[in-house]
Amino acid sequence: MYLWDLALRKGRLGYIKYILKNSLMKLPIFGWGFHIFEFIPLERKWENDEPIMHQMLLTLTNRQDPLWLALFPEGTDFTEQKCRSSQNFAAENGLPMLNNVLLPKTKGFYACLDTLRSSLDAVYDVTIAYKNSCPDLMDNVYGVDPSEVHIDIRRIPLKQIPVAEEEASAWLIDAFQRKDKLLTYFNTKGHFPNQRSEAELSTVKCLINCTLVIALTGIFTYVAFVSMWMRVYIALSCVYLASATYFNFRPLPLLDFVKSRLCRDKRKK
């Protein structure tokens, strides 16, 4: 949610894509949106996830299409119980003990690096901290918590990240050690080192955007009630999206399909 807010402030809202657990793709309405926006679903079993991830990442390699790919290497939410399990794993395998974050899973991170290295410029290391306590979904919905959200962002040019998998994995673990120290500092001081405040979003722009969304929603709802063809279109779209998200299939975009057919015809000639 807060990465969306960050993307909105930086003018990149339409370019952000998430890697998320597969069960979220099956949510009614929301899962359909995730599918349309080309989010990458994972089952958190590498033997199943690797071919799907590689296939979808290959569709994002065009340098002319701006991309913010959001990856959470921990693979799950932070809880005290999960933290203890992560620390036990670290102790058994000679890895650093982390108190505020979980140990990252490195395979997915390296797969993204390896596939997108020629098309991306940098990795952004984003650390988010919440004043008082970490909010749940309903806290955000009702505006109860958090009273403040602090975001530390570090830009790392891709050329500074090792190419070899083992070295890239070690780099990622070092990055999470840095996150852990940052969050320890935040818990003590109430802010990140050398932080500054972000400018407020324009109230006028937000009102204009909100008005446009409400107006367009109203227009399409009205058209849906008065036009039989629109109702048929909506019904077919719902059937397609429900099927696509449930069975996780993604037809080739029309332009890519035409290009592949043309290339095939040229080869035959």
Side-chain angles (χ1 to χ4, degrees):
M1 189 176 290
Y2 296 108
L3 289 182
W4 267 320
D5 184 87
L6 178 65
L8 173 65
R9 292 169 181 272
K10 302 304 177 184
R12 290 293 183 269
L13 190 58
Y15 306 135
I16 189 167
K17 301 182 190 300
Y18 286 83
I19 297 176
L20 74 176
K21 59 183 180 181
N22 191 47
S23 58
L24 294 175
M25 300 293 287
K26 294 179 171 58
L27 289 173
I29 310 301
F30 290 102
W32 302 353
F34 298 158
H35 186 86
I36 290 169
F37 292 130
E38 298 180 295
F39 290 4
I40 302 176
L42 299 181
E43 295 178 17
R44 293 189 282 198
K45 293 181 181 177
W46 186 240
E47 60 273 15
N48 297 335
D49 293 332
E50 184 180 14
I52 295 171
M53 196 169 180
H54 182 69
Q55 179 188 354
M56 293 197 65
L57 287 172
L58 285 174
T59 67
L60 307 176
T61 55
N62 188 344
R63 289 189 66 89
Q64 294 182 350
D65 293 334
L67 172 66
W68 275 22
L69 182 64
L71 169 68
F72 301 88
E74 311 96 307
T76 187
D77 295 333
F78 180 93
T79 66
E80 292 300 328
Q81 183 179 353
K82 291 173 184 175
C83 182
R84 285 192 293 272
S85 298
S86 178
Q87 289 173 340
N88 291 337
F89 180 85
E92 292 169 3
N93 292 273
L95 296 170
M97 301 284 284
L98 307 176
N99 299 307
N100 303 294
V101 292
L102 306 178
L103 273 173
K105 296 176 173 62
T106 59
K107 286 186 179 295
F109 173 76
Y110 180 74
C112 293
L113 274 184
D114 189 46
T115 307
L116 300 175
R117 188 172 283 275
S118 62
S119 57
L120 292 184
D121 299 318
V123 168
Y124 287 85
D125 179 9
V126 180
T127 305
I128 303 178
Y130 309 98
K131 203 66 174 280
N132 300 327
S133 63
C134 182
D136 59 26
L137 176 61
M138 297 316 293
D139 288 337
N140 284 298
V141 170
Y142 291 114
V144 177
D145 265 322
S147 57
E148 295 177 9
V149 178
H150 296 247
I151 303 179
D152 179 88
I153 304 172
R154 181 171 64 119
R155 186 182 189 275
I156 306 102
L158 220 57
K159 62 185 179 183
Q160 295 181 12
I161 302 175
V163 175
E165 182 173 2
E166 188 175 339
E167 293 174 2
S169 299
W171 180 92
L172 181 63
I173 291 172
D174 288 343
F176 268 72
Q177 281 187 280
R178 177 183 178 274
K179 286 178 181 292
D180 195 59
K181 291 175 182 176
L182 272 176
L183 290 169
T184 298
Y185 184 97
F186 178 87
N187 292 336
T188 304
K189 304 288 187 179
H191 59 82
F192 285 129
N194 306 316
Q195 75 170 29
R196 60 182 179 82
S197 297
E198 182 76 8
E200 293 287 336
L201 288 171
S202 168
T203 304
V204 174
K205 285 184 179 179
C206 289
L207 286 173
I208 291 172
N209 289 337
C210 185
T211 303
L212 283 172
V213 169
I214 293 171
L216 289 171
T217 303
I219 291 168
F220 283 115
T221 303
Y222 172 77
V223 172
F225 276 106
V226 299
S227 170
M228 183 191 72
W229 291 111
M230 180 60 78
R231 289 199 294 273
V232 170
Y233 171 76
I234 291 172
L236 291 174
S237 298
C238 290
V239 170
Y240 163 73
L241 288 168
S243 304
T245 51
Y246 185 81
F247 295 107
N248 193 27
F249 68 85
R250 295 172 183 270
L252 270 177
L254 183 59
L255 187 59
D256 290 349
F257 176 77
V258 172
K259 284 181 180 177
S260 66
R261 294 294 298 181
L262 288 173
C263 290
R264 211 176 284 172
D265 291 340
K266 285 179 181 178
R267 284 174 190 168
K268 288 179 181 178
K269 290 176 182 178

